[in-house]
Amino acid sequence: MDRILVKDRYFKSFISEEEIARRVAEIGAQMSADFQGRQPLLLVVLNGSFVFAADLARRMTTPFTISFIRVRSYDGMSSTGELKEVIGLSEDIEGRPVIIIEDIIDSGFTMDNLLKTLRRKNPSDLRVCTLLAKPENVKGDFSIDYCGFNIPNDFIVGYGLDYDGYGRGLASIYVVDPEAEPVG
Ligand code: IMP
Ligand code: MG
């Protein structure tokens, strides 16, 4: 089994490049069908979603626009529960269909807050798309419209997701190895 070191922790293989590519293609096809001719705005939540968004964008077969925002709420391996402000939303989304693109929904705190902020701007439609979700953890008053994978409540890294800033360039997704002691 592939075991890799990211910063000071060992991680093991969890979701392969092939499985990710297959789900991303399915989601792209589904969203394209659902938003045919409506020119949705894909609103990508940085940093973690940049890899997913790049692949998903190339699987869309109906015209769309794309824009990037930031809402940092995570430090190391546990949620700080404190939402930083939404940065970078320059578009006027009033009357437009918007699809939020996330890498992962963990507690749901980030998404819940983001949805509240965006609803006040009166988009014509507001949907949630995430590559990953931890259903045991997710709270909040929203539903996930497109989800790549439901995963257990373990810390993962790769395909855009980081552990303290590291590991984002890994082509597949890895899960923390709870048996391996941190290094250093
Ligand atoms: P939430 O507000 O608890 O739903 O957290 C959402 C954000 O936390 C995501 O956009 C990620 O940036 C980060 N996050 C949550 N779980 C993980 C994980 O397992 N690995 C890396 N980042 C994570
Ligand atoms: Mg994120």
Side-chain angles (χ1 to χ4, degrees), residues 84-103:
K84 311 279 183 340
E85 71 182 301
V86 178
I87 308 162
L89 183 63
S90 48
E91 266 78 11
D92 182 10
I93 64 168
E94 184 160 345
R96 285 201 67 183
V98 173
I99 311 171
I100 302 171
I101 309 296
E102 256 290 21
D103 50 357

Side-chain angles (χ1 to χ4, degrees), residues 45-49 71 101-105 110 161-162 168:
V45 185
L46 294 174
N47 292 324
S49 307
V71 280
I101 309 296
E102 256 290 21
D103 50 357
I104 185 164
I105 299 178
T110 305
L161 289 113
D162 72 304
R168 294 194 194 274

Side-chain angles (χ1 to χ4, degrees), residues 74 102-104 106-110 134 154-156 161-162:
Y74 232 76
E102 256 290 21
D103 50 357
I104 185 164
D106 181 353
S107 69
F109 181 83
T110 305
K134 296 180 181 174
D154 298 317
F155 193 81
I156 56 151
L161 289 113
D162 72 304

Side-chain angles (χ1 to χ4, degrees), residues 4 6 8-14 77 153-157 163 173-180 182:
I4 55 155
V6 179
D8 56 0
R9 296 292 306 238
Y10 283 103
F11 290 77
K12 45 191 188 174
S13 294
F14 185 49
M77 285 206 195
N153 187 15
D154 298 317
F155 193 81
I156 56 151
V157 76
Y163 166 46
I173 295 174
Y174 293 78
V175 63
V176 71
D177 185 348
E179 275 142 52

